[in-house]
Amino acid sequence: MAAKFDFTARLRMGNVLFVGEGNLSFALTISGKPRVPTSSILATVYEAEEDLTDTAYDNARKLLKLGCSVKTGVDATRLSDTIGKRQFRTIIFQFPNVASRDPRYGQNPNHVLVARFLKSARNHLKPGGLVIVSTVDSPFYEGAFKMDDAARKAGFAAPDIYTFDPREYPGYTHQNTANEESAADGHTAFATFVFSG
């Protein structure tokens, strides 16, 4: 596996969309880094505004204060419905998790989620853009997401894989959509998959 992906350097290039941000802590952690052009960042969550946790609401306020945009009710698999035709240099989805094990179309629902997200994101990528997805790095998660297969279905080449260490982002705590638990809890190895547009 390659070295760590440099999220901060990528954000400094501007024009970034965060999807499925849950409590908005990853977007907030990186947006606060030096020389990140916050006015070109859009951080989104799946939940409606009235369903945000207190932490998410506080983080949204902090992001707005930094100059970022925040949008609620954004489905990562149907981006055009809420962000129109906007295009981005970088689209980031940290720890996508359906919180269900019931197969959909004969596939793990997390694989279906990522494949649909990649298809949707492809329409919103500027030329040379990247789509970035981090997950737990384990055989189980590898089998659940099947990233190479998801990439192929969405018209991407197989992704480059980097290591990811959440401890390098103080203040970042992953939160599931279905509850306040974290898909990252109880795991020690994580991977970042980078799909080139």
Side-chain angles (χ1 to χ4, degrees), residues 95-117:
F95 296 94
N97 189 354
V98 174
S100 164
R101 299 276 182 262
D102 300 331
R104 296 193 55 192
Y105 315 106
Q107 296 281 354
N108 184 296
N110 283 313
H111 170 74
V112 175
L113 168 65
V114 168
R116 288 182 170 179
F117 158 65

Side-chain angles (χ1 to χ4, degrees), residues 15-55:
N15 215 351
V16 180
L17 171 65
F18 288 91
V19 301
E21 264 291 284
N23 60 20
L24 293 160
S25 64
F26 191 66
L28 180 61
T29 299
I30 298 195
S31 298
K33 302 268 186 192
R35 300 187 313 284
V36 169
T38 52
S39 61
S40 71
I41 291 172
L42 173 57
T44 70
V45 296
Y46 179 72
E47 296 82 3
E49 185 172 346
E50 59 271 17
D51 295 329
L52 292 180
T53 63
D54 291 345
T55 303

Side-chain angles (χ1 to χ4, degrees), residues 110-164:
N110 283 313
H111 170 74
V112 175
L113 168 65
V114 168
R116 288 182 170 179
F117 158 65
L118 289 172
K119 276 184 190 164
S120 180
R122 191 168 185 71
N123 298 323
H124 295 278
L125 263 196
K126 287 179 176 285
L130 298 179
V131 178
I132 302 166
V133 179
S134 297
T135 68
V136 172
D137 184 17
S138 75
F140 171 79
Y141 278 84
E142 211 169 283
F145 284 103
K146 294 195 281 200
M147 291 294 189
D148 286 5
D149 196 24
R152 197 174 31 76
K153 288 177 180 173
F156 287 98
D160 293 324
I161 307 172
Y162 299 82
T163 57
F164 179 76

